[in-house]
Amino acid sequence: MRLQNMLLAATLALPVAIAGCAASADNPMVGGAPMYESKNIVENASNSKDHETLVAAVKAAGLVETLQGEGPFTVFAPTDAAFAALPAGTVETLLKPENKDMLTKILTCHVVAAKALSGPIKGMVDDDSGAHPVKTVGGCVYTAMYKGDTIMLKDGQGNISNVTIADVEQSNGVIHVIDKVLLPAS
């Protein structure tokens, strides 16, 4: 009888577990928070504990309203760890009001004026023999590549950033989480 009760409990719990998996597949987790396709880029990024520096920078640059706009946008979103890997004092310097133009340039060089999911990005890379130019809103041109399932971007200084979480869809585009801050050419 005890075995029957355990099987019954497991059987009753299975639909709940499956429903929970379906919910997280629909709303990927980024920085410990679900990302909702019905919310815009700023709303979702503001909930990610891994993107507090990015959100602060977007606010300091005055880009909140833009990134809440209709889009579509693709945002390559560096994590807090990516910002922390910059030379000491860089973030603090960029957040100063007198450096707003430079901050805006760096941030807009993380944005593409289109919704670019990983599948089509890989297709463009394949069409261009392994390296596709990516033109950003900030006027930077980076190079998209991939190895296996990982999309990589080479920035203007030759640094390689990896997409660690791809295809986080938003109401006004898509976010790809990256592990380095993309820098314009010097």
Side-chain angles (χ1 to χ4, degrees):
M1 187 68 162
R2 186 167 182 214
L3 180 59
Q4 277 182 320
N5 288 342
M6 289 186 339
L7 287 173
L8 178 61
T11 303
L12 293 174
L14 187 59
V16 174
I18 290 170
C21 289
S24 31
D26 291 340
N27 300 310
M29 300 292 283
V30 175
M35 299 288 112
Y36 296 101
E37 195 171 342
S38 61
K39 292 187 176 188
N40 67 50
I41 290 166
V42 174
E43 290 170 328
N44 274 322
S46 294
N47 291 324
S48 168
K49 288 186 181 9
D50 290 344
H51 291 91
E52 292 173 350
T53 305
L54 177 61
V55 171
V58 166
K59 288 176 181 177
L63 295 172
V64 170
E65 191 173 307
T66 301
L67 291 176
Q68 287 179 327
E70 187 176 321
F73 302 110
T74 297
V75 175
F76 294 99
T79 61
D80 291 344
F83 280 102
L86 293 171
T90 301
V91 173
E92 294 78 9
T93 300
L94 287 171
L95 291 175
K96 291 181 179 178
E98 62 268 23
N99 295 323
K100 183 179 177 181
D101 289 344
M102 183 183 295
L103 177 62
T104 301
K105 171 76 172 176
I106 290 170
L107 292 175
T108 57
C109 282
H110 286 79
V111 180
V112 176
K115 182 177 179 181
L117 296 169
S118 60
I121 292 172
K122 289 179 181 178
M124 290 182 276
V125 169
D126 289 342
D127 290 347
D128 288 340
S129 303
H132 179 73
V134 176
K135 296 176 184 161
T136 69
V137 171
C140 296
V141 179
Y142 298 142
T143 303
M145 308 162 285
Y146 72 91
K147 185 174 186 176
D149 288 334
T150 303
I151 293 175
M152 300 169 288
L153 293 168
K154 184 190 298 186
D155 71 11
Q157 298 191 13
N159 302 308
I160 304 291
S161 178
N162 297 296
V163 173
T164 58
I165 303 174
D167 299 336
V168 184
E169 294 195 56
Q170 318 287 299
S171 64
N172 61 345
V174 63
I175 289 174
H176 299 289
V177 177
I178 57 175
D179 63 358
K180 288 191 175 52
V181 176
L182 300 170
L183 300 172
S186 298

